[in-house]
Structures are given as structure tokens and as C-alpha cells.
């Protein structure tokens, strides 16, 4: 079953170049496995399936969310996966943007495990690389001190924001460590968070070296 899910996810994300490719999905899958080792009471098949499928119908990645979700549902039905409703419930309430409006449902341990794994891959060295990839794909400026970080109250505002890549660290990524649920994720987040802060400080410092204060 898991092999079929991995193959599906790999094929689904094969052409993605904005930081949400299969390399990201597979790291989330492996991080979820690592977290699961501390929680034998979690439902492993649900967690790993949700980890592998979590970006298949993300609204910032696909034009037609219902159609993409239906494709995923058809695949799960074709392989006789019995827990698709539970998996979709995790995916639908997983993202940072889904929680901005306070409408996301509380996650179970299974959902928290997937969310922690996904958020861990959003920070640290891979997180930096993915943020740059995403910024380039959206033609965002890397850094401009005249464009200040913003706060977002809706998903629409978050996705439509005219911001810089470096602002994204202040607007989202520096906040992630405080939102993690599991002890394993919190432990892994410490050095990843530091790497991001060091990177952003270096960008800002080098900018000042060139352009002044």
C-alpha cells in the first residue's frame, strides 16, 4: 500500500520546481516516520498516507482544488484504501493558511504528527532552499528593507501578498517552532530555527555592507 502511495506522490509532483516537489514530500514522509517511533498509539497508515498526499490539492499549487482532490480520492479508491476520509480531514486542516481564519478543525495525534513533519521541512537548511525556490517561482524580490513584513488574517490575503522572500521568514517561518506539538519535532526544530535566523541576519548584514543603513 505505501509503495503505491509513494509512486503516486512521486508521479504527481514530478515536475514541481517551487519547493513542493517530491523531494519535499518524501522528507515529510520520513520525518513523520521518525516522529511515529515515539507514538506507537498513532495510526501509522493514516499518518504516512497523509504525509505523502498532503500537497496534492493545496490551493496555492493547483488551479482546481475540487478536481485535484477528486483525482486523489479516485486513486485511493482504486487501491482500496479504507481511511481516505480521515486522511482528507488531516490534509484539509493542516496548513498554516488554513488556520489563519480560525476555521481549521483541531488535529488528532495523527494530524499533529503530519503537521509537525511538514512544518519541520519548512524550516532549517531545506526550509531556506525551499523558500528561495518558491520566491523565484512567484517572481518575488529576495530582500528589500523598504517592504516590511505583514500580518495576514485570511488565506486569500496570505496567498496574494506582495512580499519579499526574506519577509516570509518573519511572517511565517520564525513562528513555526512555537506551533509544533511533539517532543521529537520540537527537538529537531531547535538547530533548524537557528540556521534560519543566522541566514536572515547574514542577508541583512551583507545588504547593509553594500547599501549602508
Amino acid at each position: 500500500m505505501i509503495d503505491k502511495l509513494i509512486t503516486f506522490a512521486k508521479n504527481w509532483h514530478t515536475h514541481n520546481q517551487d519547493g513542493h516537489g517530491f523531494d519535499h514530500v518524501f522528507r515529510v514522509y520520513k520525518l513523520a516516520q521518525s516522529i511515529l517511533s515515539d507514538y506507537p498509539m498513532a495510526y501509522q497508515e493514516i499518518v504516512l498516507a497523509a504525509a505523502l498526499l498532503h500537497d496534492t490539492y493545496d490551493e496555492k499549487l493547483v488551479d482546481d482544488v475540487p478536481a485535484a482532490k477528486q483525482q486523489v480520492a479516485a486513486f485511493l479508491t482504486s487501491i482500496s484504501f479504507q481511511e481516505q476520509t480521515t486522511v482528507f480531514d488531516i490534509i484539509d486542516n493542516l496548513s498554516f493558511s488554513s488556520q489563519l481564519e480560525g476555521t481549521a478543525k483541531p488535529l488528532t495525534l495523527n494530524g499533529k504528527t503530519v503537521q509537525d513533519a511538514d512544518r519541520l521541512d519548512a524550516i532549517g537548511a531545506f526550509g531556506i532552499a525551499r523558500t528561495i525556490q518558491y520566491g523565484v517561482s512567484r517572481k518575488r524580490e529576495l530582500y528589500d528593507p523598504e517592504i516590511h513584513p505583514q500580518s495576514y488574517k485570511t488565506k486569500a490575503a496570505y496567498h496574494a501578498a506582495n512580499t519579499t522572500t526574506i519577509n516570509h521568514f518573519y511572517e511565517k517561518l520564525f513562528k513555526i517552532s512555537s506551533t509544533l506539538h511533539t517532543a521529537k519535532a520540537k527537538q529537531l526544530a531547535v538547530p533548524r530555527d537557528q540556521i534560519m535566523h543566522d541566514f536572515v541576519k547574514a542577508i541583512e548584514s551583507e545588504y547593509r555592507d553594500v547599501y549602508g543603513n
Side-chain angles (χ1 to χ4, degrees):
M1 183 73 72
I2 289 296
D3 287 343
K4 293 178 181 178
L5 287 162
I6 290 173
T7 299
F8 178 84
K10 187 173 184 179
N11 291 336
W12 188 281
H13 295 284
T14 186
H15 298 300
N16 186 289
Q17 299 293 324
D18 71 357
H20 297 85
F22 181 69
D23 59 329
H24 158 64
V25 171
F26 194 71
R27 287 193 300 271
V28 173
Y29 165 73
K30 297 298 288 185
L31 286 164
Q33 280 187 319
S34 178
I35 295 170
L36 277 170
S37 65
D38 289 348
Y39 297 93
M41 71 290 289
Y43 197 137
Q44 179 170 311
E45 187 175 67
I46 288 173
V47 169
L48 297 181
L52 288 165
L53 301 173
H54 77 277
D55 272 342
T56 49
Y57 57 91
D58 189 314
E59 62 190 346
K60 68 179 177 290
L61 305 177
V62 299
D63 294 327
D64 190 335
V65 171
K69 189 173 182 178
Q70 184 55 45
Q71 284 183 262
V72 178
F75 163 71
L76 292 176
T77 298
S78 75
I79 64 171
S80 301
F81 187 84
Q82 301 298 314
E83 301 289 346
Q84 63 176 274
T85 299
T86 305
V87 167
F88 287 151
D89 195 50
I90 291 173
I91 296 171
D92 291 343
N93 296 282
L94 189 71
S95 69
F96 179 82
S97 62
S98 71
Q99 299 180 344
L100 286 175
E101 298 169 341
T103 58
K105 297 178 183 177
L107 295 168
T108 64
L109 174 60
N110 297 322
K112 290 175 180 178
T113 300
V114 181
Q115 187 182 69
D116 277 6
D118 186 33
R119 292 187 174 185
L120 278 173
D121 200 58
I123 62 177
F126 277 121
I128 292 169
R130 291 181 60 221
T131 301
I132 293 172
Q133 281 182 293
Y134 189 79
V136 169
S137 74
R138 294 299 188 270
K139 295 181 171 57
R140 287 179 175 173
E141 191 168 355
L142 177 65
Y143 176 58
D144 182 345
E146 298 301 315
I147 302 175
H148 301 290
Q150 304 175 49
S151 296
Y152 306 103
K153 295 183 178 179
T154 67
K155 288 194 290 184
Y158 174 68
H159 290 312
N162 180 24
T163 189
T164 69
T165 293
I166 293 301
N167 279 353
H168 186 64
F169 289 88
Y170 291 102
E171 293 166 353
K172 175 183 176 182
L173 303 185
F174 288 160
K175 302 175 183 179
I176 283 181
S177 291
S178 65
T179 71
L180 299 173
H181 306 282
T182 62
K184 174 69 70 66
K186 291 176 182 179
Q187 177 186 7
L188 291 172
V190 174
R192 294 176 184 229
D193 190 68
Q194 187 61 55
I195 287 170
M196 292 193 302
H197 278 86
D198 290 345
F199 170 75
V200 170
K201 286 179 181 177
I203 289 285
E204 294 170 343
S205 175
E206 291 177 19
Y207 185 96
R208 289 192 296 271
D209 289 344
V210 174
Y211 297 102
N213 293 323

